[in-house]
Amino acid sequence: MSPGNVLEAAADRRKRLTHYAPERGEFADRFAARNVDVSFRRLPPGGPDPFVVVRDAGGSHSGSGDDESGAGGADSENTGERPGSERFRGAVTVATLERLLAPPRATDERAREAVSPAYGAVLDLLDDTVFASLSRRQLLATTREFEDRAWRAGDGLLHVGFQTADAFADQQSLYHRLAADTSLDVHVHLADERVDAEEVAVHAGGEYADRYWFVAFDGPGDSQCALVAEQRDGNDDDYVGAWTYDPDLVAGVVEDLADWATG
Amino acid sequence: MSGDESPIHSQSSAGDWDPTAGGTAPPPDRLFAALADGQRRHLLWYLLEESPASVAELADVLAGWQLADTTDVGSEEYDRILATLHHSHLPLLDDAGLAEYDREAGTVTASSLAPAVEGVVQFAHQYDVALPER
């Protein structure tokens, strides 16, 4: 299962997002995702801050997780939604979601500091969503969050791709620490030339690293996560991307990367 | 501020005041029991403008109000909201005559409230917004 399969698998999983606000505004335009339907409901004046409700809208759900039959205290009475498998995932304010659209600037030195908990909540809510236009800054913030998950897990396999040796050079001290201070097995994939790095296994000449921005972590418990993004039309600040916590999907990607790395 | 018809500002006319004029007006205990709960006040406020509404939509709105106190509302909390709607809030609003709860369809339709009652609902909402629970 290659990194590209994460994008394909995510595209099969549709989400429905309901935007509650006094005015429709430009929310739906800013929130451009390929497998998400955004609908708007007007809030009367004097209501709560504008918010969004995220629902899984069915699709082929191969992963573990949702146990439709036994979950929660809601009974089987009709809620007036369309019949089918729509399932509430979560609600956050638009202001919280804005952190995803315009994330806090994550500097290299503070990767291990907790990124805002609100940011993590939004990431959790919007897994398996294929975003049509992610900036490098958004990808970097998500990458930092996933590096942080790996750091907290302290054990497992971490594979990260860099398109250039220069990009890796900026992060080298961080990955050195990740590998040296934990039991993590850290693998760095470079598109072009080799770079020597202590503690970290470096694999050069990878087609995946050339094509995708990726970070994939297979660790203990429910810490698995993977982010995959592909540059759009040669624009170096515009990516199609998705992240997933599906353990099977993450394990598949990590396995593929490990196979490739060991030749 | 609505509720101009109430005798709050003109006590001398209290004797002539007919709160049932122009629409539904529940018995006092029913009305004030309905308004005694913050979630039900939110529901009544929403239904004044957005009726009919599905139960899921009402649950969404209650979740939205909770976001004033928490970063996110997850599925467990949402299931609690739905259960409270089904078993408590909606039957109570229906019994009071303030709304019609169609269990089969999963929809709630606001009753046509007397202007005096609508005024009380709006007053309760404004009071909530001005003095939120801590």
Side-chain angles (χ1 to χ4, degrees):
Chain A
M1 197 178 285
S2 85
N5 291 121
V6 169
L7 295 174
E8 289 167 20
D12 282 346
R13 300 176 184 183
R14 299 204 68 81
K15 280 194 163 65
R16 173 175 302 281
L17 205 149
T18 312
H19 172 218
Y20 286 84
E23 304 280 344
R24 187 184 296 268
E26 293 172 357
F27 177 81
D29 302 332
R30 296 191 54 205
F31 189 90
R34 292 184 174 174
N35 59 336
V36 177
D37 302 316
V38 180
S39 52
F40 169 74
R41 282 194 184 280
R42 201 185 74 85
L43 276 180
D49 290 340
F51 64 97
V52 293
V53 173
V54 180
R55 287 182 164 84
D56 286 326
S60 53
H61 212 88
S62 62
S64 64
D66 295 0
D67 176 6
E68 298 277 347
S69 54
D75 35 52
S76 54
E77 282 181 83
N78 199 343
T79 59
E81 288 295 274
R82 72 207 65 212
S85 56
E86 287 209 356
R87 177 147 184 87
F88 179 94
R89 283 290 300 274
V92 293
T93 60
V94 169
T96 297
L97 196 59
E98 296 281 339
R99 289 171 189 268
L100 180 79
L101 303 171
R105 205 174 279 280
T107 63
D108 301 338
E109 289 307 310
R110 56 172 292 267
R112 264 186 267 153
E113 291 173 31
V115 183
S116 144
Y119 191 68
V122 174
L123 287 184
D124 288 352
L125 210 49
L126 295 171
D127 62 338
D128 301 317
T129 299
V130 184
F131 287 90
S133 184
L134 292 170
S135 67
R136 296 184 66 86
R137 185 168 161 188
Q138 288 168 323
L139 292 172
L140 198 60
T142 305
T143 300
R144 289 289 166 273
E145 178 70 17
F146 287 0
E147 287 162 356
D148 192 49
R149 280 171 82 105
W151 169 264
R152 279 173 297 179
D155 191 13
L157 262 173
L158 178 66
H159 282 263
V160 188
F162 290 93
Q163 281 178 312
T164 66
D166 282 350
F168 174 56
D170 291 343
Q171 308 293 326
Q172 191 160 352
S173 64
L174 184 145
Y175 281 94
H176 180 273
R177 279 205 311 275
L178 266 178
D181 297 356
T182 67
S183 303
L184 291 169
D185 190 1
V186 180
H187 292 259
V188 168
H189 299 247
L190 297 175
D192 46 19
E193 74 269 37
R194 246 200 101 65
V195 171
D196 286 325
E198 288 175 34
E199 303 281 349
V200 177
V202 178
H203 313 286
E207 71 172 289
Y208 293 153
D210 189 39
R211 182 158 177 203
Y212 301 107
W213 177 313
F214 66 84
V215 47
F217 173 62
D218 192 4
D222 59 355
S223 60
Q224 296 92 347
C225 52
L227 162 72
V228 176
E230 188 171 15
Q231 224 171 69
R232 280 200 343 174
D233 309 328
N235 179 342
D236 74 358
D237 198 27
D238 195 7
Y239 291 77
V240 175
W243 53 89
T244 186
Y245 302 102
D246 182 322
D248 296 336
L249 205 50
V250 173
V253 171
V254 168
E255 195 176 323
D256 188 49
L257 289 165
D259 282 352
W260 183 87
T262 56
Chain B
M1 179 79 208
S2 303
D4 297 332
E5 317 244 339
S6 83
I8 293 174
H9 303 295
S10 53
Q11 289 176 7
S12 60
S13 68
D16 311 326
W17 184 50
D18 177 12
T20 66
T24 299
D29 281 355
R30 290 278 174 90
L31 173 62
F32 292 108
L35 291 169
D37 180 276
Q39 286 190 324
R40 287 197 294 269
R41 292 194 293 275
H42 292 324
L43 294 173
L44 288 168
W45 158 80
Y46 187 74
L47 286 167
L48 279 182
E49 303 236 7
E50 302 294 331
S51 170
S54 71
V55 175
E57 182 183 344
L58 295 175
D60 285 1
V61 170
L62 292 183
W65 281 104
Q66 288 193 10
L67 292 172
D69 302 316
T70 180
T71 300
D72 62 311
V73 172
S75 57
E76 284 182 22
E77 181 59 25
Y78 190 78
D79 285 345
R80 270 195 290 277
I81 292 173
L82 275 180
T84 309
L85 282 172
H86 283 306
H87 297 302
S88 172
H89 295 330
L90 298 179
L92 194 147
L93 294 180
D94 189 291
D95 286 348
L98 291 163
E100 187 182 332
Y101 172 32
D102 184 338
R103 286 174 183 267
E104 295 273 304
T107 56
V108 181
T109 308
S111 304
S112 173
L113 301 179
V117 176
E118 187 175 320
V120 170
V121 169
Q122 281 174 349
F123 168 79
H125 174 69
Q126 286 167 356
Y127 199 83
D128 272 329
V129 171
L131 283 182
E133 294 284 347
R134 292 191 314 109

